[in-house]
Amino acid sequence: MLRKFFLNALSSFIGAWIAIVLFGAVCVVVAVGVIAKLGVAQTNNNQVSKDSVLTIDLQGELDEIAMPVDFDYSSIISGSIDKKQSLTELITAIGEAAENKNIKAIYLKCNSIVAAPATLNALRNALLDFKESKKPIIAYGDMLAMGDYYIASVADKLYLNPGGAVGLKGLGGATPFFKGLFDKLGVQFQVVKVGTYKSAVEPYINERMSEPARAQLDTLYGNMWNVILDGICQQRSELTSQRIDSLINDDFIFLHQGEFASRQGLVDAVVYERSMDSIIAAAINKKVDKLNFVSPSLLVSQEELMSGINPKKQIAVVYASGEIVDGGGTNTINYEKFVPLITSLAENENIKGMVLRVNSPGGSVFGSEQIGEALDYFQSKGKPMVVSMGDYAASGGYWISAGADRIFADPLTITGSIGIFGLIPNVEGLIEKLGLNMEFVSTNPEANFPSLFKPLNEKQLAGMQVMVEDGYNQFVARVANGRKMSEAKVRRIGEGRVWDAVTAMKIGLVDELGSLEDAIDWVAKDLNIENYGVSRYPRFNSRVWDFLPEIINVQEKGKIEMGRLLAPQVSSVMVNKVIRVLERKPVQALMPEIKVVL
């Protein structure tokens, strides 16, 4: 007894010291960051003074909104704690730069931005709007990745390092198929679904892509690529779509250095980066030593508060980003938190209308239905609810969008995927590998149905199919009611098929191609209000101690290591993917895994 007491005391003592050490490490990292930031502030002109140039660094991943930074032990030790850029902040800064008399130009520094096409298109459209101010946009890149080039093509002058290249390759994506991996783990999947094109289940039961799935992706990518080509050619008048495709297919343009790209009209000139200050100064007719480069965050922070805003006239912008889930999870739409938020906004007299910004591939059928009902409740209060679609608004993401008074989408949004599937894992082979045996005792034959530990019989599969079809009928009815179209038409354009937004507008799934700002303006006009404010939800409060539980929580790592023991040659990324699939609810309204980045 005494030995157990000392062991418990010792473990508690060690645990406390580990927590203290980790907390100290975090404090040191935060302190260093603050000091570094202060050091930068002392060496730079931290003001939006006369002859300022807004510098946008097209680098790293671009998020829709500023999210809390995810910390873990390894990132703290390595010092690789990075905060992603925010699309919302960049667009706000560009809008302010157009109006601010001290901002004379925008400088785009191209350093391999990573984002889905619709996100990049939103940023690009904001720059196109900026050009109406008649202020120049100047862009430079050591290398111009495809996303960089698509954005930088709006520039009045586009420069490339002589040793650099333009990385145009076309649009596409890779779909991993996990059947071989699951076979090694001893996991099989039983599938029930509605929709010929509902191919989200294929990676778990097939070794390769089906023809219907390939056909829909061919069409999707082709239509999106045409939008991108048209956008480039409208700004680079010496280029045509056919010429760009020829440079990609025949000349392998991404393998050629700067001079070749310049001769083809892809860039205006080749220069080394040290020349850019002089080029920018000449473009705005100022001396180099008078230039003042400012960041988007500085410009946004110093933006003057709009006068005359009535705090009792607010339009809520609610971000629905990530997979729709029943319960917790980071970077997801948790209906347990999302529904109360929508309800509170419905009952808030100061909130006059809402724009739901959807960036979701879907997910839980139950969660989608709960959120849809909460949005109906919001509208029952006589408040308009408009949807603005981001990169993806498909399957469950479309379910929650369908009842909107109006749907806006970016031309490069992926939407639709009206369909439902059931994916029921059978881990009988896995538990055999672990040396386990499951024995069942019950009063009724189906008391343990569905079970992970034995395959479904025909009767059980038939019952699951009925449930999935009932869910699909509910989905179809919601779309038909929200979009004012017949159920027969919804079924024709449904079948789980994904659509690009341009086609989706033609078939009635989208009302208008436009930005988040266009959606906000529509709500204001519908309400006939002026001097309104825009409030954004959910609101994140990031604190130092919020991430400490994540540092000392080894549960997820334990799961991954268990998977690695079962299949040593499989990467932790793949094992983590398996874990997420196994933890999902059996019935999902989820689009195929389409990962498109420029």
Side-chain angles (χ1 to χ4, degrees), residues 158-189:
L158 174 54
Y159 299 94
L160 176 64
N161 189 297
V166 177
L168 288 174
K169 297 182 180 180
L171 193 63
T175 302
F177 281 73
F178 297 95
K179 185 178 184 300
L181 171 58
F182 284 122
D183 287 346
K184 291 176 181 178
L185 293 174
V187 178
Q188 294 181 334
F189 282 92

Side-chain angles (χ1 to χ4, degrees), residues 250-314:
D250 301 329
D251 296 309
F252 297 102
I253 182 63
F254 65 94
L255 298 178
H256 289 271
Q257 291 188 339
E259 286 292 351
F260 183 82
S262 179
R263 290 197 303 270
Q264 303 304 318
L266 292 170
V267 300
D268 293 294
V270 290
V271 299
Y272 289 100
E273 187 176 9
R274 64 174 176 269
S275 302
M276 289 309 300
D277 283 4
S278 297
I279 291 172
I280 294 169
I284 61 175
N285 198 28
K286 300 295 177 183
K287 294 182 178 180
V288 172
D289 59 0
K290 297 296 183 180
L291 292 177
N292 179 42
F293 295 97
V294 299
S295 68
S297 58
L298 177 62
L299 188 58
V300 170
S301 67
Q302 294 196 2
E303 179 182 0
E304 292 183 359
L305 294 176
M306 296 177 63
S307 61
I309 295 295
N310 188 338
K312 295 185 177 180
K313 293 181 181 180
Q314 295 286 319

Side-chain angles (χ1 to χ4, degrees), residues 276-538:
M276 289 309 300
D277 283 4
S278 297
I279 291 172
I280 294 169
I284 61 175
N285 198 28
K286 300 295 177 183
K287 294 182 178 180
V288 172
D289 59 0
K290 297 296 183 180
L291 292 177
N292 179 42
F293 295 97
V294 299
S295 68
S297 58
L298 177 62
L299 188 58
V300 170
S301 67
Q302 294 196 2
E303 179 182 0
E304 292 183 359
L305 294 176
M306 296 177 63
S307 61
I309 295 295
N310 188 338
K312 295 185 177 180
K313 293 181 181 180
Q314 295 286 319
I315 295 175
V317 176
V318 181
Y319 292 87
S321 299
E323 191 172 319
I324 299 171
V325 297
D326 300 344
T330 57
N331 300 319
T332 61
I333 306 170
N334 179 358
Y335 87 87
E336 293 177 351
K337 295 180 179 179
F338 208 78
V339 168
L341 170 61
I342 299 300
T343 301
S344 67
L345 295 176
E347 295 170 353
N348 186 334
E349 294 183 356
N350 293 336
I351 300 297
K352 304 303 181 183
M354 178 202 301
V355 175
L356 182 68
R357 177 66 170 179
V358 181
N359 206 333
S360 172
S364 162
V365 170
F366 183 79
S368 300
E369 194 278 331
Q370 299 301 303
I371 294 171
E373 192 281 331
L375 294 169
D376 293 344
Y377 175 70
F378 182 92
Q379 290 171 294
S380 73
K381 297 294 185 178
K383 302 180 179 183
M385 191 278 287
V386 168
V387 162
S388 169
M389 293 180 169
D391 298 321
Y392 309 96
S395 208
Y398 194 82
W399 185 311
I400 66 177
S401 302
D405 296 296
R406 194 163 185 83
I407 296 178
F408 290 78
D410 187 275
L412 295 175
T413 294
I414 296 174
T415 188
S417 193
I418 300 168
I420 292 178
F421 66 86
L423 196 64
I424 305 97
N426 169 28
V427 300
E428 189 177 45
L430 174 59
I431 63 172
E432 288 179 1
K433 290 177 182 288
L434 296 173
L436 299 175
N437 180 45
M438 304 296 294
E439 294 289 342
F440 299 92
V441 179
S442 61
T443 59
N444 297 81
E446 307 300 342
N448 296 306
F449 163 62
S451 171
L452 295 176
F453 305 109
K454 58 183 178 181
L456 303 180
N457 58 41
E458 291 185 6
K459 179 181 177 181
Q460 292 169 337
L461 281 170
M464 292 291 296
Q465 184 68 41
V466 169
M467 181 176 69
V468 167
E469 290 177 358
D470 286 345
Y472 183 62
N473 291 336
Q474 186 180 10
F475 196 168
V476 168
R478 179 168 183 82
V479 175
N481 182 62
R483 301 305 301 157
K484 306 295 186 293
M485 64 175 67
S486 68
E487 290 194 10
K489 181 179 180 181
V490 176
R491 292 180 188 277
R492 286 197 301 273
I493 62 179
E495 291 288 330
R497 181 160 186 166
V498 293
W499 303 94
D500 62 280
V502 175
T503 305
M505 187 172 70
K506 294 176 182 177
I507 62 178
L509 294 178
V510 168
D511 293 303
E512 188 172 337
L513 299 178
S515 65
L516 173 60
E517 290 69 28
D518 293 328
I520 295 171
D521 290 344
W522 191 94
V523 173
K525 290 178 182 177
D526 184 70
L527 291 167
N528 194 26
I529 59 173
E530 297 179 352
N531 302 324
Y532 59 89
V534 175
S535 48
R536 300 178 189 271
Y537 304 89

Side-chain angles (χ1 to χ4, degrees), residues 57-62 109-115 141-148 598:
D57 192 357
L58 300 178
Q59 182 177 25
E61 294 185 43
L62 182 61
K109 294 184 67 174
C110 301
N111 289 304
S112 299
I113 191 76
V114 177
D142 285 333
M143 302 288 292
L144 288 170
M146 196 156 68
D148 296 331
L598 288 182

